Amino acid sequence: MGKIIFNGKIVDRSEVSIDIEDRGYQFGDGVYEVIRVYNGKLFTKIEHVNRLYESAEKVAITIPYEKAELVQTLEELVAINNLVTGIIYLQLTRGNFPRQHGFPSSDVPPTYVAYTREMPIPQASLDKGVRGLLIEDIRWLRCDIKSLNLLGNILAKQKAAEAGCYEAIQHRGEEITEGSSSNVFIVKGNCLMTHPATNLILNGITRRVILKICKENDITYKEEVFTVNDLMNANEVFVSSTTSEVMPVVQVNDKIIASGTPGPITRKLQQFFKQEIENLG
Ligand code: PMP
């Protein structure tokens, strides 16, 4: 894992240092992605790279690389680092500039860093399910941007961890938005529900794969707002993310969800999701 990408080139990690006036370091002024690697291959790479460019565009950062070139270098990095099961983390910041809130002059190039990390599939939790903690969503109103500014998410995740929970399930008033680093789904009756892809959530790539699976397999779903009460009385709850896949939630606060074990629709989606991974080769 000794090699990383720095401004488009694969170099030794020890050769790289980040300037103290990097906008990412000073303001969290940048965007990022996390891509899953299964069997040495990048899962849903096009979707992640497209979202990276979309996030960058939303905050007026121009990425000075072609998408195909960026993907190719990521694939080279995975091969050089012999990564089999893990993740690629990549981030672009607005570059180095003497500190001021306004943007640097337009000739300042972004700082681009990517590295790989081994990360096993969290199989025991996927089998058994995890606990969630309800937390008021205190974040800003552009959660659709995958921005480096994650203080709200971090504080929520830490509270969940301190309560012995895997994930913080956030709500704005009565409305469930998303997890601190995941999207939230419930099964109400026979219908899967998840928050619509508005400015209040990140439109997760895993979320999109799940909805595609539903469409292809006649699993009824609605992208509709649901409430804290709906969640607490749901037949099934799960969260989804690149690292957590389809993760059953069997308890929220003190409330056991349904029977306290992963439900049938969650299980079915886990199986279909595994198939998507296997289709990667
Ligand atoms: N919402 C938030 C706030 C996240 O941080 C993540 C994880 N990146 C997700 C949702 C899930 O997105 P994805 O499925 O693309 O990992």
Side-chain angles (χ1 to χ4, degrees):
M1 304 291 142
K3 299 285 185 190
I4 68 166
I5 299 170
F6 184 57
N7 294 338
K9 300 211 162 37
I10 297 181
V11 295
D12 217 78
R13 182 172 178 165
S14 60
E15 288 170 36
V16 174
S17 60
I18 301 293
D19 195 285
I20 57 165
E21 286 191 308
D22 184 273
R23 304 268 306 189
Y25 179 65
Q26 289 196 324
F27 295 113
D29 184 3
V31 294
Y32 77 105
E33 275 298 324
V34 178
I35 306 177
R36 245 297 178 197
V37 174
Y38 295 109
N39 198 21
K41 298 199 177 75
L42 281 66
F43 184 64
T44 51
K45 62 183 179 192
I46 303 300
E47 290 79 356
H48 281 283
V49 169
N50 284 342
R51 188 173 64 182
L52 178 74
Y53 280 72
E54 284 160 18
S55 291
E57 199 183 336
K58 286 173 181 174
V59 298
I61 290 177
T62 307
I63 303 182
Y65 314 101
E66 294 294 327
K67 284 182 187 174
E69 179 192 359
L70 189 124
V71 169
Q72 192 190 334
T73 320
L74 292 174
E75 285 176 333
E76 281 171 26
L77 183 73
V78 166
I80 288 173
N81 283 341
N82 291 316
L83 183 68
V84 180
T85 306
I87 55 137
I88 304 172
Y89 175 83
L90 58 154
Q91 71 168 46
L92 275 121
T93 76
R94 206 180 302 277
N96 304 332
F97 203 68
R99 189 177 186 282
Q100 63 170 38
H101 283 60
F103 290 180
S105 39
S106 57
D107 57 341
V108 173
T111 309
Y112 167 40
V113 168
Y115 58 80
T116 61
R117 194 158 100 191
E118 281 180 22
M119 193 179 286
I121 296 162
Q123 197 56 55
S125 299
L126 288 169
D127 291 341
K128 238 177 58 197
V130 296
R131 291 168 59 195
L133 185 73
L134 280 168
I135 287 183
E136 183 72 39
D137 192 341
I138 60 162
R139 300 171 305 157
W140 71 331
L141 297 175
R142 291 307 305 275
C143 298
D144 54 311
I145 301 170
K146 202 160 169 61
S147 133
L148 295 179
N149 268 290
L150 288 173
L151 268 178
N153 309 60
I154 288 166
L155 294 174
K157 182 76 95 188
Q158 181 60 21
K159 273 195 190 146
E162 284 168 9
C165 293
Y166 181 86
E167 179 59 305
I169 297 178
Q170 302 177 101
H171 57 96
R172 286 189 193 265
E174 283 308 303
E175 170 178 344
I176 299 284
T177 51
E178 63 177 342
S180 70
S181 61
S182 62
N183 293 111
V184 180
F185 290 76
I186 64 167
V187 177
K188 188 179 172 186
N190 273 330
C191 185
L192 188 67
M193 291 183 78
T194 194
H195 195 285
T198 65
N199 61 309
L200 297 183
I201 67 156
L202 182 76
N203 186 0
I205 305 298
T206 320
R207 174 188 181 280
R208 300 181 208 182
V209 172
I210 291 166
L211 297 183
K212 184 195 83 158
I213 289 171
C214 287
K215 244 184 233 158
E216 289 172 357
N217 296 282
D218 293 325
I219 299 170
T220 317
Y221 72 90
K222 276 193 212 155
E223 292 177 83
E224 245 174 48
V225 168
F226 57 89
T227 65
V228 172
N229 188 49
D230 290 329
L231 177 99
M232 292 310 243
N233 293 297
N235 298 109
E236 302 180 35
V237 177
F238 66 86
V239 293
S240 74
S241 79
T242 295
T243 52
S244 295
E245 302 181 354
V246 178
M247 181 61 77
V249 176
V250 294
Q251 186 177 340
V252 178
N253 293 358
D254 292 330
K255 177 88 195 304
I256 306 282
I257 302 299
S259 63
T261 55
I265 292 180
T266 309
R267 283 273 178 251
K268 207 156 125 185
L269 288 170
Q270 284 182 326
Q271 279 161 16
F272 282 123
F273 195 79
K274 209 165 154 211
Q275 195 58 51
E276 294 283 330
I277 296 167
E278 279 161 16
N279 291 346
L280 252 185

